Amino acid sequence: RNQARSQVMATAERGPLDLSAAPSAKGRRFALVVSSWNSEITNALADGATRVLEQLRADRVDRFDVPGSFELIHGCKVHAESLEYDAVIAIGSVVRGETPHFDFVCQGVTYGIARLNATGKTPVIFCVLTDDTYQQSLDRCGGRLGNKGEEAAVAAVQMAAF
């Protein structure tokens, strides 16, 4: 099972995402909760996730925008608790600045999404880039390191079937 998962994950060494080992999303519904902050990055991640979910034949993919990454927690909570979706994907991008704000936001979002997973019935997939530079984020949203939104979509399908 772990080997199959590693085969579908995109990395710089493996090149484009290979969906041949990914499970089908047929009959499944997914919510994408997307931060509007760093929208160039988050839109590319959401596009990648949507593209993969459609390729895997998801019945429904709905997108909900929130102002920033910290608000992802509430947005994901609302849609996970609705039980309308088989999985929720939290999509955000936090780029390190000159103040500790980066650390507070990253820690809060990570803890919040982890808590939703530990206490809820619907899986919430963590697709929040936490990079030191904007270029690192670009590299991970369709650049030289693939698109982490695509990887999150595969994880969502796997967890929906768990």
Side-chain angles (χ1 to χ4, degrees), residues 40-127:
E40 178 183 15
I41 304 300
T42 58
N43 285 333
L45 293 168
D47 290 347
T50 300
R51 186 172 48 254
V52 166
L53 291 169
E54 289 172 350
Q55 288 173 346
L56 295 176
R57 300 178 43 204
D59 279 10
R60 187 166 138 204
V61 180
D62 295 331
R63 176 179 170 153
F64 305 93
D65 293 331
V66 295
S69 288
F70 204 80
E71 291 78 26
L72 288 169
I73 301 163
H74 180 72
C76 289
K77 181 178 187 290
V78 167
H79 294 294
E81 287 181 351
S82 76
L83 302 179
E84 188 175 341
Y85 299 98
D86 296 294
V88 175
I89 304 175
I91 297 177
S93 170
V94 185
V95 179
R96 186 179 300 278
E98 297 177 358
T99 69
H101 181 74
F102 171 88
D103 299 312
F104 299 136
V105 172
C106 293
Q107 182 179 24
V109 173
T110 302
Y111 176 78
I113 299 301
R115 185 167 181 197
L116 292 176
N117 278 303
T119 60
K121 294 181 180 183
T122 303
V124 180
I125 307 305
F126 188 84
C127 182

